[in-house]
Amino acid sequence: MEDSNFPLDFNEDEETLDEDEFNIPKFSLPTLESILAEPDDESTLVLDELSLSNVPDEGTSSILAESINALSEDYRPPELDALKNWETTSIASNESRPKERGIKSVHGSVISLNRMTMLSENLASSAEKRSAGRPTVLAVSSLIGVGTSRGFVLIFDTDQKLKMCLGTPQIGEKYGGVSALEFNIDVTRMLVGYSKGEILMYDITNGKLLRTITDATPPGTAVLHVKFTDDLTLAVCNDSGGSVFELNFRRVMGVRSCESRCLFSGSRGEVCTIAPLHLTQVIADHAVRDRHLLAMGTLTKVFVVALRPKTKVVFLHRLGMNPSSAPLISWKLSHFKYNDHTTVDPMLMFARGDVVYFFHARCEGWGDIKFVHLRTMNLTYKIINLAWINSQTIVLVDVREQLHVLDVDSQTDLESKSADHIKMVYNNATFKSIATGGNVSAALATVGERACYHSMVSNGGSIYLLGYDSIYTATLNNWKDRINIALTYSHQHALKLALTFYNGTAKAAIGLPSGNREERMNLVSEMILEILVEFVDLSMTSLCPDSGKLQVLIDFYRNVVPVCVDHCLHIGRVDVLFTRIYERFRDDCVAHGAFLECLEPYIINDRLMIINPQVMKDFIEHYQAKNMLESIEQCLLHLSVESLDLNQVMHMCWAYGLYDAIISIHSRGMNDFITPFCELLLMLQSSLKTGNPLSDKLTTLGNKLLVYMSSCLAGIAYPTGNLARSTSMSVKDQMFECLTTPFMTEKGLEGIYPVVQTLLHFSTKEFLNVLSLNFAEEYFRDEEGCSKVQCIVDILLQVMVENEGFRPDQIGSLFTFLARQSARQNSPLHLTTLLRHQVVEFLTTPSDNSTDNEERQQALVELLECGVLSSDDRERSGETARLVELAEQAAFYRVLKILHTRSRRFDLVFLAHLRDTSSDSDAFHYVIETMSSYDKSEMEKKLVKTIVMDHIKDLIKLDSGRMASLFMSVFKESMQVIAEKLKDDPLMLFNFLRGIFGDRSKHSSTNDLNKLGGISMESYFGGEDMDDETSTSSYPNDPHICELYLDLLCQYKKDEVLDFVQECYVVRPRTALDLVLRHGADDASAFLLEKSGDISAAFNILIGVCKEKMQLLGSGGGGVEVDVGGGRYYEIINTSMDKVVRLCQRNSKKLVEKQREKLWFSLLDLTLKPQNNGGGQDPPPPHLDFCKERARKTLNSMIGHMSLSAVLQKIIQDPAYKSGEFSEIKNLLLGMLDTYQYEKTLIGTTLHLLSRDRYKSLNQLKSSITHGIAPRSQFCSICRNPLLRGGSATLVTDAASQKMIVFRNGSQYHEGCLLRGGSVSQISLQNCASVEKDRSSFESWRKPQQQMGASFVSGVQISDNNGGGGGNQKTRERSKSKVRTTSFLQDFEDKRFTLKIKSPPLM
């Protein structure tokens, strides 16, 4: 197989590879889980890093073997199991959030940082008296232990008194400083680790040294951590080499000993910190108690190991790379809720840099431990230590020694507090192992720069911080303390914080009862009230502005009162608001008024519905004094009636006309809906009787009564709200009874049906609209409701028609209302014949108001559609004729359409459509629909056609295009007939023909492709874009009609003539030329002359137009300058000149050189002439620069059509440049050269691109030809004989010349076996189909190859039998051929086909 030095280039158009043919192994894309489980480049993710030390220990070597094997095969990162629950939050520091100066966060002061004064003084005293050195490590249990740099351990009790001092100066000199310290679970033993690698055990009860362990860690390493487990005989430690060791304590025959065993070797990953899980004595039966879980953090990962009953890895998680940050680990026991019970399980928190992870160690049975991911916190700062302060709150220390208090559940940064004054102790000397020579790795030394593992210890709800000369405690503040601290900033801040405790949303809250919600709320509410009262007292005294304008004081109280109201409403203590607090504000008139006005929004929003009667009285009097009656009314609608002084309120409402309040109080307080309605109606009736115009107040009253009546009939509350279902039905019945009561003298109302009569006199139209709206309700839709509607209609007729006192327009509104209701009711209203006639007569009476006309027409339409006015009844035929007459007089075309359609007068329907100017009327559509309908007779269609022909001009005015389409497609009339009918009106005829030929004004000319002076690509390269005879024309085939339209087009739309003659090939050229010449259509004339071959005449016409426009620029030395529209005139000249340029460019190839010179030089002379005339003027004319630019464009356009020598000679001989300097023609020459250079570059780039495409094609062809094919076996697939020997159908003597057939899928055969020998019966059934398929493919390929000695088919080489090079070599592409034949005896080193191609360089 030949090697190719050419790069392969695959694209989507090439044939795809067959996997079976090329024996490509199957593969699958990596999944998300596999990607997450992949190790980093630095180290391997599997726990082979948990290797053992080089100490030859058979027991040790098998400790983690089972764990590593299990993890390698079945381990699945626990974060993948909780992928759906993955929760990541970015947490910003409180310091990074913008806030006003002096304003604390809503959480208040969560934590207090206090110095342990006595302990710190004793520590300093011990350092001075005993030369103990500075503190290095801290351990806290029921006692406090502090290790020093000179090997001493100071033990303090809970009273901060020094209890004992362990160690001697000799121990410090021998073992170095204390680097690790730990109490056991019952605080009877202490392990002390030293910077030179030794570990000592002390009895804390008496200070006795029990064990000295010198071989726990390798020589030359420091002890970083030493930790007790819950088993008093088991401890763990790790050294500065990154290794972890297990310490087993024994006492045999009174002799104490310690056995050390390596758990993890630092050679495969250095452990920076360890943390065993401690279970309290309360949890005695937890599943992990006897497993002794140990969490370890390396530079790249955190993992958890179960030490008993055998060592096993149960969890692993990779950490992000952060070289300067150490890994941090902490355990916490937390409550977890399951389906029906709550358990206490360990929670593992670990972090590195700015990311903190939380995992739940969940025990499934007694053997399986599963770590479930809970959340991930992304911080905006890097941390150096962390600790739990309670089960929901953690404290972090960042690199600036800032304490951050975070709530775990809400992932909120509660508070940030500076701790840089503590000067925390760092363990960098221990991590660098300075005491033993500093033999640690660079990575561990870098991490140790910020290591402070032993300077922050959590115990009993407090966090202890070790400084260089003191110890501090960080504790959570009690809820009362937090509120009191907030009071030092402001009362409002304290109230806001107190509400969080009241609502139970406060974070890190301690001191409140957790189980009793009511008790908690009572405790907090009492404190909120105390703060409020104090806040009000201060607001009235010290906080109140001493001086200033009155408005300043009002604004101050308007800010104070809402605070009091909001908090009293929130805790439900309105009684305090309206007693103690209100009395305090009442002492000051300004504060009193501000308090009362601040109550309004709470009342309107229904937050305050009950008010103390005294306060309510003051409220009404205050608003009444300030004439804020509308506000009073709005508040009365929302307040509970029980809290009102009805005598005072009703007296005020009647006195000031608060009608909504009167109705609302009666309906809500007394359940009386009719009495206030009648009383108010009596006021309206009395005013109407006077005959004087109503005042604005009474007009408002009338409108309110209409709305109230509508609300009652609908069964809803007024002005807002809903009524109970039983009350709703009762109110409907009461209002209906009120409307239909004929006499109501007991209420003071006069006349028959006084309610209806009064409201009709007030506003007939609005009252009828209210009735129409309510008649659509379900109350009036059933059978009983229809009778109620009829009852009201009868009352309306009796009041308005049978009695006097109503104007005609009011009667008309009634008739319109009756018509609408007759059409909409389920059962038609009963109307007499006389009444029906009156209704029709009124509805068809013209009105000056177009809206009224439309309403009346709609009412008639609805009456006709519902059958009230039927035209089918013979008895009513006279009524129909009268209705048609009235509708025509009123121009009710929609009514006429219905009436004429029912009488099958479709011709008259067309007239109605034609005259109807509404948007939904379409005469053309109606004609098409009528003429294509099958239910119309031929006579009816003929009538429609006749009337359409009579109104042809009207249709043309509507839409000439649709009119033309209608006649051509529907009526199929010849255009000559239409033209004959319209010959007396040329403009109308033009519009008709324009509709047939189409409006071409929107289409730009095909030759005018670039109005900015550019040349189209087709014109530039010689494209004949004007002689496209093959384009289909949409014009009629009658040349006389086309010429008639051309004649009219020249008269009315001369700017569209050129488009028409370019696109229409039906018109006769000579006739068209005569027409355009006669009418002076220059562009069209030039086009037709050019098309006929008279280039010179076309040029003369266009150049003449240009001369006319150029003459306006100035003639001679004293010509008058003309500027039409400023630069707009220059654009017109440019357009005219561009047309001449394109004419010359299109026809230059057709002309001889002298003819080309005549055209181009004539054009050039025209552009140079203004320069000759104006060149000597001083100052030069303003158009001179334009003419020079125009000349440059003309010269650029000549390039490619004229020789450069002739152009240069013409320029030099021109008088404008002959007498001048070279600078005057410099720009012209440079422009010509730039154009030449551009075209040269363009052609060169094109040639390079073509060369690269050719190279790419040939390269792909060679790669396909020289691609090798390998057989899958050395035996024939049919005869099963070796391929180097002949097959079963081949003679032995022919074996040497036997060919081998190899397919792309790797199957192989002898040629003889595939063609004539080796029947299918010799083959197994499973291979039968594949053999037949290969045989068929070979036969189809072999037939066209029989005459070729050597050929290349689809990239496969076919060689001659004798291995010679005879025969022709050809290339042929056949996509279905997949066969290669070759002789196994030929010399494969003989390359008969070599393609030598060199890749062209990139431009």
Side-chain angles (χ1 to χ4, degrees):
M1 178 176 175
E2 291 186 357
D3 295 332
S4 175
N5 295 325
F6 299 97
L8 296 178
D9 187 8
F10 299 97
N11 54 49
E12 297 178 356
D13 298 330
E14 293 181 347
E15 180 183 359
T16 57
L17 297 178
D18 188 350
E19 295 179 358
D20 296 332
E21 177 182 343
F22 291 92
N23 197 21
I24 297 176
K26 299 290 184 180
F27 75 98
S28 59
L29 294 175
T31 62
L32 175 63
E33 299 175 359
S34 63
I35 293 174
L36 292 176
E38 285 182 357
D40 289 346
D41 295 333
E42 295 183 343
S43 58
T44 311
L45 181 62
V46 294
L47 285 187
D48 53 1
E49 287 189 15
L50 301 178
S51 58
L52 308 177
S53 63
N54 296 327
V55 180
D57 187 348
E58 294 181 359
T60 305
S61 61
S62 61
I63 292 177
L64 297 179
E66 182 179 349
S67 300
I68 295 173
N69 293 334
L71 196 64
S72 301
E73 297 176 1
D74 301 326
Y75 178 72
R76 174 183 175 88
E79 61 271 21
L80 299 181
D81 295 332
L83 193 58
K84 294 183 179 179
N85 298 324
W86 190 274
E87 181 181 352
T88 304
T89 304
S90 180
I91 301 177
S93 170
N94 278 329
E95 295 184 345
S96 64
R97 299 170 185 165
K99 56 185 178 181
E100 298 181 3
R101 183 177 181 182
I103 301 299
K104 294 297 181 180
S105 68
V106 68
H107 307 288
S109 179
V110 180
I111 196 170
S112 293
L113 193 61
N114 300 309
R115 183 172 182 266
M116 302 181 72
T117 306
M118 183 180 297
L119 190 149
S120 300
E121 292 177 354
N122 289 332
L123 184 64
S125 175
S126 299
E128 181 179 353
K129 293 180 180 180
R130 296 183 173 88
S131 299
R134 60 176 179 81
T136 56
V137 295
L138 175 68
V140 180
S141 182
S142 59
L143 300 176
I144 300 175
V146 180
T148 68
S149 59
R150 296 185 178 179
F152 289 92
V153 177
L154 305 177
I155 308 297
F156 299 88
D157 58 15
T158 56
D159 295 330
Q160 305 182 26
K161 296 180 180 179
L162 181 63
K163 183 179 180 181
M164 64 180 66
C165 178
L166 305 178
T168 61
Q170 293 77 15
I171 292 178
E173 292 178 2
K174 183 177 181 180
Y175 299 148
V178 178
S179 59
L181 200 64
E182 177 76 354
F183 291 102
N184 67 350
I185 192 171
D186 59 358
V187 200
T188 59
R189 300 288 187 269
M190 170 180 279
L191 285 175
V192 183
Y194 291 88
S195 58
K196 293 184 179 181
E198 288 75 10
I199 298 175
L200 303 182
M201 177 183 286
Y202 287 96
D203 186 346
I204 301 302
T205 60
N206 53 24
K208 181 180 179 181
L209 177 64
L210 300 179
R211 289 183 176 87
T212 300
I213 308 170
T214 59
D215 57 352
T217 62
T221 60
V223 177
L224 298 183
H225 298 86
V226 58
K227 302 287 184 181
F228 275 107
T229 65
D230 288 345
D231 186 353
L232 298 179
T233 64
L234 178 63
V236 291
C237 67
N238 74 304
D239 61 4
S240 58
S243 300
V244 180
F245 300 90
E246 176 185 307
L247 305 177
N248 293 279
F249 304 114
R250 299 286 185 269
R251 184 175 182 179
V252 180
M253 302 296 292
V255 178
R256 293 182 174 91
S257 63
C258 177
E259 297 179 0
S260 175
R261 185 178 62 167
C262 181
L263 293 177
F264 184 89
S265 174
S267 61
R268 297 297 302 276
E270 295 164 313
V271 174
C272 301
T273 180
I274 58 176
L277 172 63
H278 293 288
L279 297 177
T280 61
Q281 299 294 336
V282 180
I283 312 175
D285 57 347
H286 200 280
V288 300
R289 168 170 289 279
D290 297 328
R291 303 296 301 275
H292 299 298
L293 298 183
L294 175 65
M296 295 182 280
T298 70
L299 297 175
T300 57
K301 63 181 66 63
V302 168
F303 54 94
V304 179
V305 177
L307 300 179
R308 297 290 185 270
K310 60 180 180 179
T311 307
K312 180 181 179 181
V313 178
V314 295
F315 171 75
L316 181 145
H317 189 278
R318 180 171 295 280
L319 297 175
M321 296 306 299
N322 200 329
S324 62
S325 299
L328 307 170
I329 303 175
S330 180
W331 291 94
K332 185 67 178 179
L333 296 176
S334 298
H335 293 269
F336 293 91
K337 292 184 179 180
Y338 293 97
N339 296 331
D340 54 351
H341 64 284
T342 301
T343 63
V344 178
D345 286 336
M347 181 190 298
L348 175 64
M349 174 178 63
F350 57 90
R352 187 179 187 186
D354 56 357
V355 184
V356 185
Y357 303 92
F358 296 86
F359 280 84
H360 169 207
R362 181 177 179 180
C363 300
E364 299 179 353
W366 289 96
D368 189 12
I369 303 175
K370 182 179 181 181
F371 282 76
V372 180
H373 176 264
L374 299 178
R375 60 180 55 87
T376 299
M377 292 183 181
N378 291 301
L379 309 174
T380 58
Y381 44 85
K382 292 183 179 181
I383 60 175
I384 58 177
N385 212 332
L386 51 76
W388 294 90
I389 197 168
N390 63 19
S391 59
Q392 300 296 330
T393 312
I394 59 175
V395 177
L396 310 177
V397 181
D398 65 12
V399 293
R400 298 185 303 162
E401 296 188 7
Q402 297 280 329
L403 296 182
H404 300 272
V405 184
L406 272 70
D407 181 73
V408 176
D409 285 345
S410 64
Q411 305 184 49
T412 306
D413 198 339
L414 304 180
E415 186 185 10
S416 297
K417 187 179 291 291
S418 176
D420 55 355
H421 61 281
I422 300 177
K423 299 179 181 179
M424 293 179 61
V425 175
Y426 291 91
N427 310 120
N428 49 4
T430 305
F431 271 79
K432 294 179 181 180
S433 193
I434 295 177
T436 59
N439 53 341
V440 297
S441 67
L444 194 63
T446 302
V447 168
E449 290 291 340
R450 286 286 181 178
C452 55
Y453 290 109
H454 304 291
S455 301
M456 182 176 182
V457 181
S458 175
N459 184 71
S462 299
I463 293 178
Y464 296 81
L465 301 172
L466 177 63
Y468 276 98
D469 56 359
S470 59
I471 296 177
Y472 283 75
T473 59
T475 57
L476 292 177
N477 292 322
N478 184 278
W479 69 277
K480 286 187 177 181
D481 295 335
R482 289 170 63 177
I483 296 176
N484 290 329
I485 294 173
L487 275 173
T488 61
Y489 295 97
S490 69
H491 286 75
Q492 296 186 33
H493 179 61
L495 290 170
K496 187 177 181 180
L497 178 60
L499 281 183
T500 62
F501 292 110
Y502 180 85
N503 298 328
T505 59
K507 307 301 180 184
I510 60 175
L512 285 173
S514 58
N516 194 329
R517 178 174 178 269
E518 184 176 354
E519 183 181 356
R520 181 197 76 228
M521 296 172 69
N522 290 334
L523 285 175
V524 181
S525 63
E526 291 298 327
M527 191 165 190
I528 291 176
L529 291 176
E530 292 178 4
I531 298 174
L532 277 177
V533 172
E534 181 182 349
F535 175 60
V536 172
D537 291 338
L538 291 176
S539 300
M540 300 297 295
T541 55
S542 60
L543 297 179
C544 180
D546 295 333
S547 61
K549 297 181 180 180
L550 179 63
Q551 188 61 39
V552 175
L553 192 60
I554 294 175
D555 293 340
F556 170 76
Y557 286 120
R558 284 179 178 174
N559 293 327
V560 172
V561 174
V563 176
C564 302
V565 179
D566 283 330
H567 287 82
C568 288
L569 289 176
H570 194 90
I571 64 177
R573 295 299 301 272
V574 185
D575 55 329
V576 178
L577 175 67
F578 292 135
T579 52
R580 295 172 61 187
I581 296 178
Y582 177 69
E583 292 299 331
R584 193 69 181 88
F585 279 105
R586 198 176 182 183
D587 296 338
D588 186 275
C589 60
V590 178
H592 185 217
F595 182 91
L596 296 175
E597 292 178 13
C598 288
L599 297 179
E600 180 183 346
Y602 296 95
I603 298 173
I604 298 299
N605 295 326
D606 293 331
R607 294 185 60 191
L608 188 60
M609 301 181 67
I610 299 178
I611 299 181
N612 184 292
Q614 180 61 43
V615 178
M616 188 64 204
K617 181 181 178 181
D618 296 344
F619 178 81
I620 293 176
E621 290 177 353
H622 175 76
Y623 271 71
Q624 188 174 351
K626 299 187 69 173
N627 198 25
M628 301 170 63
L629 301 176
E630 293 183 0
S631 299
I632 294 179
E633 186 176 26
Q634 292 299 319
C635 292
L636 291 176
L637 297 178
H638 293 269
L639 285 170
S640 175
V641 179
E642 290 79 2
S643 65
L644 302 177
D645 184 351
L646 293 181
N647 185 29
Q648 177 197 19
V649 171
M650 295 304 295
H651 178 75
M652 179 195 64
C653 291
W654 283 108
Y656 294 99
L658 306 183
Y659 307 123
D660 286 344
I662 293 172
I663 296 173
S664 177
I665 292 173
H666 273 84
S667 59
R668 291 187 296 123
M670 310 173 191
N671 201 25
D672 185 0
F673 295 87
I674 301 301
T675 299
F677 177 73
C678 293
E679 292 177 353
L680 295 174
L681 191 68
L682 178 60
M683 294 176 56
L684 182 63
Q685 187 184 60
S686 301
S687 180
L688 289 172
K689 283 183 178 181
T690 62
N692 298 325
L694 296 177
S695 63
D696 293 340
K697 187 174 183 180
L698 288 175
T699 302
T700 303
L701 171 61
N703 291 327
K704 289 180 180 295
L705 290 177
L706 288 174
V707 176
Y708 179 65
M709 183 193 74
S710 177
S711 300
C712 291
L713 291 176
I716 59 177
Y718 177 85
T720 57
N722 296 310
L723 298 174
R725 183 174 180 81
S726 58
T727 306
S728 175
M729 292 302 298
S730 175
V731 172
K732 292 179 183 179
D733 294 336
Q734 292 178 35
M735 183 54 67
F736 177 76
E737 183 180 357
C738 182
L739 289 173
T740 56
T741 302
F743 299 102
M744 302 179 69
T745 55
E746 70 279 1
K747 300 288 186 181
L749 297 172
E750 299 177 357
I752 188 171
Y753 298 107
V755 176
V756 175
Q757 190 175 37
T758 302
L759 293 177
L760 283 173
H761 280 293
F762 169 71
S763 178
T764 304
K765 190 172 183 179
E766 294 302 327
F767 176 66
L768 295 177
N769 287 338
V770 169
L771 291 179
S772 179
L773 179 65
N774 285 276
F775 284 171
E777 297 290 335
E778 189 66 27
Y779 182 72
F780 294 99
R781 301 299 293 178
D782 54 6
E783 184 177 354
E784 183 181 356
C786 292
S787 63
K788 293 178 180 179
V789 173
Q790 184 66 49
C791 178
I792 294 178
V793 169
D794 293 340
I795 294 173
L796 291 173
L797 292 173
Q798 182 180 353
V799 171
M800 297 188 69
V801 179
E802 299 179 6
N803 296 322
E804 298 179 353
F806 291 94
R807 301 186 306 272
D809 61 319
Q810 293 176 319
I811 302 295
S813 298
L814 173 63
F815 288 162
T816 305
F817 168 77
L818 293 178
R820 290 285 183 88
Q821 295 306 314
S822 298
R824 295 177 181 177
Q825 291 298 318
N826 296 333
S827 59
L829 297 177
H830 176 68
L831 300 176
T832 62
T833 303
L834 177 60
L835 182 59
R836 188 165 57 248
H837 289 170
Q838 290 177 341
V839 171
V840 173
E841 290 287 345
F842 169 76
L843 293 178
T844 54
T845 302
S847 174
D848 296 335
N849 193 335
S850 59
T851 304
D852 291 342
N853 280 335
E854 183 60 30
E855 290 181 357
R856 295 176 183 182
Q857 182 176 200
Q858 180 63 30
L860 272 178
V861 169
E862 293 178 0
L863 287 174
L864 288 171
E865 290 178 347
C866 70
V868 175
L869 298 178
S870 176
S871 60
D872 298 333
D873 193 349
R874 293 183 179 180
E875 297 179 358
R876 296 185 178 181
S877 58
E879 297 179 7
T880 303
R882 177 60 179 165
L883 182 58
V884 170
E885 180 182 354
L886 293 174
E888 288 179 350
Q889 294 176 0
F892 286 178
Y893 299 113
R894 293 166 58 194
V895 176
L896 290 173
K897 294 174 190 177
I898 297 174
L899 294 175
H900 291 321
T901 301
R902 291 180 178 179
S903 61
R904 299 189 68 83
R905 289 300 306 272
F906 302 110
D907 52 339
L908 299 180
V909 177
F910 164 75
L911 283 179
H913 276 285
L914 188 62
R915 296 171 183 172
D916 191 0
T917 58
S918 61
S919 59
D920 58 346
S921 181
D922 190 346
F924 297 102
H925 178 73
Y926 177 75
V927 173
I928 296 173
E929 188 180 57
T930 302
M931 299 303 293
S932 60
S933 176
Y934 293 102
D935 60 350
K936 311 292 190 303
S937 65
E938 293 299 326
M939 181 58 67
E940 292 169 341
K941 294 181 179 179
K942 185 176 181 181
L943 290 174
V944 173
K945 181 177 179 181
T946 302
I947 199 168
V948 169
M949 294 295 293
D950 293 340
H951 294 79
I952 184 173
K953 293 185 178 181
D954 296 330
L955 292 173
I956 291 175
K957 291 178 181 179
L958 285 178
D959 193 330
S960 60
R962 297 184 67 186
M963 174 60 199
S965 175
L966 177 67
F967 272 83
M968 298 298 296
S969 60
V970 178
F971 294 150
K972 297 183 172 37
E973 291 286 344
S974 64
M975 285 182 287
Q976 288 81 358
V977 177
I978 307 300
E980 186 65 25
K981 293 179 70 68
L982 299 175
K983 65 180 181 179
D984 57 336
D985 193 345
L987 181 59
M988 192 65 66
L989 177 59
F990 170 70
N991 289 330
F992 173 73
L993 293 177
R994 188 177 180 82
I996 292 180
F997 286 88
D999 187 3
R1000 306 281 174 170
S1001 62
K1002 297 180 181 179
H1003 304 284
S1004 61
S1005 173
T1006 56
N1007 292 327
D1008 192 13
L1009 295 177
N1010 194 336
K1011 294 185 177 180
L1012 299 178
I1015 307 300
S1016 67
M1017 191 65 73
E1018 292 81 5
S1019 300
Y1020 186 84
F1021 286 108
E1024 299 295 333
D1025 54 351
M1026 48 155 284
D1027 292 330
D1028 190 10
E1029 297 287 350
T1030 59
S1031 63
T1032 58
S1033 177
S1034 61
Y1035 298 109
N1037 295 324
D1038 189 350
H1040 297 286
I1041 294 297
C1042 294
E1043 291 163 3
L1044 176 60
Y1045 177 66
L1046 178 59
D1047 188 12
L1048 296 172
L1049 195 63
C1050 291
Q1051 299 179 41
Y1052 298 107
K1053 287 287 184 179
K1054 187 178 292 186
D1055 56 337
E1056 299 179 15
V1057 175
L1058 178 60
D1059 294 340
F1060 179 76
V1061 297
Q1062 285 179 334
E1063 299 174 3
C1064 182
Y1065 303 109
V1066 180
V1067 66
R1068 292 170 291 186
R1070 177 53 57 186
T1071 305
L1073 183 59
D1074 293 340
L1075 289 173
V1076 297
L1077 287 174
R1078 184 169 71 246
H1079 292 287
D1082 297 328
D1083 292 342
S1085 301
F1087 171 77
L1088 292 175
L1089 288 172
E1090 181 184 2
K1091 187 175 181 180
S1092 63
D1094 194 350
I1095 309 300
S1096 178
F1099 176 81
N1100 290 333
I1101 291 176
L1102 295 180
I1103 202 69
V1105 175
C1106 293
K1107 288 180 179 179
E1108 293 177 0
K1109 293 179 171 57
M1110 293 288 288
Q1111 286 177 357
L1112 297 177
L1113 292 177
S1115 59
V1120 180
E1121 298 296 334
V1122 179
D1123 188 8
V1124 181
R1128 172 64 179 164
Y1129 191 70
Y1130 292 151
E1131 184 180 350
I1132 295 175
I1133 296 176
N1134 271 329
T1135 303
S1136 301
M1137 297 290 288
D1138 289 340
K1139 294 178 181 178
V1140 183
V1141 168
R1142 284 193 288 271
L1143 175 67
C1144 296
Q1145 288 178 335
R1146 285 195 300 269
N1147 298 281
S1148 291
K1149 291 185 179 181
K1150 303 177 183 178
L1151 302 176
V1152 297
E1153 184 176 358
K1154 290 185 177 181
Q1155 293 175 329
R1156 290 199 303 269
E1157 290 181 358
K1158 181 179 179 181
L1159 296 182
W1160 283 108
F1161 289 161
S1162 297
L1163 177 60
L1164 185 60
D1165 290 338
L1166 179 62
T1167 57
L1168 296 176
K1169 184 177 179 180
Q1171 301 181 54
N1172 299 336
N1173 296 335
Q1177 298 183 19
D1178 190 19
H1183 67 266
L1184 189 61
D1185 293 336
F1186 166 75
C1187 294
K1188 288 185 178 182
E1189 179 64 20
R1190 184 65 252 180
R1192 187 188 64 81
K1193 291 182 179 180
T1194 304
L1195 288 171
N1196 290 337
S1197 303
M1198 295 170 61
I1199 297 176
H1201 304 282
M1202 294 291 296
S1203 63
L1204 289 178
S1205 59
V1207 176
L1208 290 175
Q1209 185 177 2
K1210 176 66 177 176
I1211 295 175
I1212 295 173
Q1213 292 177 355
D1214 190 90
Y1217 300 102
K1218 187 174 182 180
S1219 60
E1221 298 179 357
F1222 173 74
S1223 60
E1224 298 182 5
I1225 63 173
K1226 177 181 177 181
N1227 293 333
L1228 290 176
L1229 296 178
L1230 292 178
M1232 295 170 58
L1233 293 175
D1234 288 343
T1235 305
Y1236 166 76
Q1237 186 64 31
Y1238 166 74
E1239 293 183 351
K1240 178 182 176 182
T1241 304
L1242 181 64
I1243 294 175
T1245 303
T1246 304
L1247 292 177
H1248 275 287
L1249 292 175
L1250 294 175
S1251 299
R1252 289 191 62 81
D1253 289 343
R1254 182 177 60 181
Y1255 163 75
K1256 182 179 178 180
S1257 300
L1258 293 176
N1259 186 28
Q1260 291 177 354
L1261 177 61
K1262 178 183 180 298
S1263 300
S1264 177
I1265 292 173
T1266 59
H1267 178 69
I1269 298 176
R1272 289 182 297 185
S1273 173
Q1274 299 181 7
F1275 300 92
C1276 176
S1277 299
I1278 297 178
C1279 67
R1280 309 308 301 169
N1281 290 325
L1283 293 174
L1284 296 179
R1285 295 172 52 190
S1288 59
T1290 306
L1291 297 176
V1292 179
T1293 56
D1294 297 333
S1297 62
Q1298 175 66 19
K1299 289 183 178 180
M1300 177 181 65
I1301 310 299
V1302 182
F1303 288 81
R1304 287 183 181 177
N1305 59 9
S1307 58
Q1308 63 286 329
Y1309 308 93
H1310 291 113
E1311 183 181 22
C1313 296
L1314 192 61
L1315 292 178
R1316 55 188 180 276
S1319 63
V1320 179
S1321 60
Q1322 299 177 263
I1323 312 166
S1324 60
L1325 293 177
Q1326 59 182 358
N1327 295 329
C1328 179
S1330 61
V1331 172
E1332 288 297 331
K1333 180 180 178 181
D1334 292 343
R1335 179 175 293 171
S1336 175
S1337 300
F1338 182 69
E1339 288 289 349
S1340 62
W1341 168 83
R1342 184 172 174 270
K1343 291 179 181 179
Q1345 302 298 326
Q1346 291 178 351
Q1347 303 299 326
M1348 299 181 184
S1351 62
F1352 297 89
V1353 180
S1354 185
V1356 179
Q1357 181 177 351
I1358 310 300
S1359 300
D1360 208 357
N1361 290 343
N1362 55 12
N1368 298 325
Q1369 294 183 356
K1370 299 182 179 180
T1371 300
R1372 183 174 179 182
E1373 292 294 333
R1374 288 173 55 91
S1375 60
K1376 295 183 179 180
S1377 177
K1378 299 181 179 181
V1379 183
R1380 168 178 293 179
T1381 65
T1382 183
S1383 173
F1384 227 69
L1385 302 178
Q1386 76 177 46
D1387 183 11
F1388 289 101
E1389 299 300 328
D1390 182 15
K1391 308 295 189 298
R1392 297 180 180 82
F1393 185 82
T1394 304
L1395 193 62
K1396 296 182 179 180
I1397 304 173
K1398 184 178 180 181
S1399 174
L1402 289 172
M1403 289 298 296

